[in-house]
């Protein structure tokens, strides 16, 4: 390396250290996040913000309110600086030009735990990658002291960081592994996401639906209702998305086809859920998720049968199976939809619907 290159490298390291030092200074100066904020306080704070910006008269405040609002204003000022500094570090990390990734990861963790530009800090950890960024994201995924929204975003970035490994496992042939779905089900044509293809024939559909039908009514029904709110939004009960939605993503990566639904991969999925901070949604992970996979596959078969159906080839066995699926609480909505779709063409389907309604 010549003298000019050495000098440039030294300048770059000094510039990076200046950013790290500035971010540490921001963290040292940031006031703690206040608690006990109400809608009324936030409304009053908006008036305070406008007065600080020269757009209105200052509100009358108590001493406690004045101290609280001044602290929040200071946090907002510092968050702007933290956003800029974290962005500089992320850009360096993305160019693989960060000389002190361990220090950057430590500052990122402190930012999230201080409640300051947490989203930017988590994105910086993702850009840092393995090992420092991954280690930080793992810590946040289990940290119950940070907000649930920040924990979910940390886990999502962690999942993205580990996705290639999941997919590589999913592409491996299941040689020597114990299958958990019946042979007829393993012959189902599926696309890359595991959904049943539209080309499934009536003989295979009948065999697979018969094999997937649970022996007794499920409690609770499966699969769970789909999440209707945005992926990172609150639902009508002000709750974030349940963990099982993310477990499903993991399972689809590890087991993208019915042939790859094996006991060994279910055990791997259960262990990985524990590692990345996901609740597997039950004590018997394997039984629960095999049942859910069966429900989604059955739903896909009913959907496939209803598209361009030859109703003569499906009557009456498909209607009888749909009735059993509704009664046993597996893929019940899709089975009902199939019966309603058949209703105009197959009088027997109307009879089944009538039985179900009573």
């Amino acid at each position: 390396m010549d003298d000019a290159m050495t000098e440039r490298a030294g300048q770059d390291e000094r510039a990076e250290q200046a950013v790290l030092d500035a971010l540490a200074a921001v963290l040292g100066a940031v006031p703690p996040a206040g608690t006990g904020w109400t809608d009324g306080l936030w409304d009053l704070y908006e008036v305070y913000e406008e007065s600080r910006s020269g757009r209105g008269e200052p509100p009358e405040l108590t001493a406690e309110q004045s101290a609280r609002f001044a602290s929040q204003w200071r946090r907002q000022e510092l968050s702007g600086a933290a956003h800029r500094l974290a962005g500089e570090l992320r850009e360096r990390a993305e160019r693989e030009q960060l000389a002190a990734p361990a220090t950057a990861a430590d500052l990122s963790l402190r930012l999230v735990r201080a409640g300051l530009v947490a989203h930017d800090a988590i994105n910086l950890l993702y850009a840092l990658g393995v090992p420092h960024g991954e280690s930080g994201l793992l810590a946040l995924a289990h940290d119950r002291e940070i907000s649930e929204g920040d924990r979910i975003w940390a886990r999502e970035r962690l999942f993205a960081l580990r996705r290639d490994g999941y997919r590589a496992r999913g592409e491996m042939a299941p040689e020597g592994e114990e299958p958990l779905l019946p042979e007829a089900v393993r012959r189902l044509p599926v696309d890359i996401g595991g959904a049943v293809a539209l080309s499934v024939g009536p003989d295979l559909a009948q065999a697979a639906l018969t094999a997937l039908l649970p022996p007794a009514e499920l409690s609770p029904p499966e699969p769970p209702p789909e999440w209707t709110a945005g992926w990172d939004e609150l639902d009508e009960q002000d709750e974030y998305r349940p963990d099982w939605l993310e477990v499903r993503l993991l399972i689809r990566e590890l087991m993208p086809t019915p042939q790859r639904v094996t006991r060994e991969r279910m055990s791997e999925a259960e262990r990985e859920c524990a590692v990345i901070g996901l609740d597997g949604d039950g004590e018997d992970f394997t039984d629960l998720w095999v049942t859910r996979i069966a429900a989604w596959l059955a739903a896909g078969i009913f959907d496939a049968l209803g598209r361009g159906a030859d109703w003569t080839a499906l009557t009456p066995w498909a209607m009888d199976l749909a009735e059993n699926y509704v009664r046993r609480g597996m893929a019940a909505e899709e089975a009902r939809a199939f019966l309603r779709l058949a209703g105009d063409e197959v009088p027997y389907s109307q009879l089944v619907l009538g039985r179900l309604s009573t």
Side-chain angles (χ1 to χ4, degrees), residues 154-171:
R155 197 166 59 230
E156 188 163 307
R157 292 292 79 199
L158 179 61
F159 188 95
L161 201 60
R162 298 164 78 95
R163 183 181 287 118
D164 287 347
Y166 300 152
R167 288 183 175 174
R169 178 66 173 111
E171 291 171 0

Side-chain angles (χ1 to χ4, degrees), residues 122-173:
I122 290 168
N123 288 343
L124 172 54
L125 287 169
Y126 174 72
L128 290 172
V130 179
H132 302 291
E134 182 182 45
S135 177
L137 291 170
L138 282 167
L140 292 176
H142 291 271
D143 191 338
R144 296 292 169 178
E145 298 299 317
I146 65 175
S147 75
E148 188 171 359
D150 290 343
R151 191 166 58 253
I152 285 176
W153 181 241
R155 197 166 59 230
E156 188 163 307
R157 292 292 79 199
L158 179 61
F159 188 95
L161 201 60
R162 298 164 78 95
R163 183 181 287 118
D164 287 347
Y166 300 152
R167 288 183 175 174
R169 178 66 173 111
E171 291 171 0
M172 294 176 62

Side-chain angles (χ1 to χ4, degrees), residues 266-280:
M266 277 293 177
S267 296
E268 291 172 27
E270 185 174 13
R271 288 193 297 270
E272 186 65 10
C273 285
V275 168
I276 64 177
L278 283 172
D279 180 0

Side-chain angles (χ1 to χ4, degrees), residues 238-252:
D238 290 332
E239 294 182 358
Y240 283 100
R241 66 176 187 254
D243 281 9
W244 73 260
L245 290 169
E246 295 175 74
V247 180
R248 179 170 65 174
L249 293 179
L250 171 63
I251 283 177
R252 283 178 171 176

Side-chain angles (χ1 to χ4, degrees), residues 185-259:
V185 180
R186 300 199 300 274
R187 290 191 285 116
L188 285 170
V190 296
D191 65 19
I192 194 169
V196 177
L198 300 182
S199 59
V200 60
D203 291 341
L204 179 55
Q206 183 175 11
L209 284 172
T210 301
L212 289 169
L213 184 67
E217 183 179 352
L218 298 179
S219 180
E222 294 291 350
E226 287 295 330
W227 181 248
T228 56
W231 188 245
D232 57 352
E233 297 174 356
L234 299 174
D235 66 3
E236 295 178 352
Q237 285 75 44
D238 290 332
E239 294 182 358
Y240 283 100
R241 66 176 187 254
D243 281 9
W244 73 260
L245 290 169
E246 295 175 74
V247 180
R248 179 170 65 174
L249 293 179
L250 171 63
I251 283 177
R252 283 178 171 176
E253 298 288 2
L254 294 174
M255 294 169 264
T257 66
Q259 296 90 342

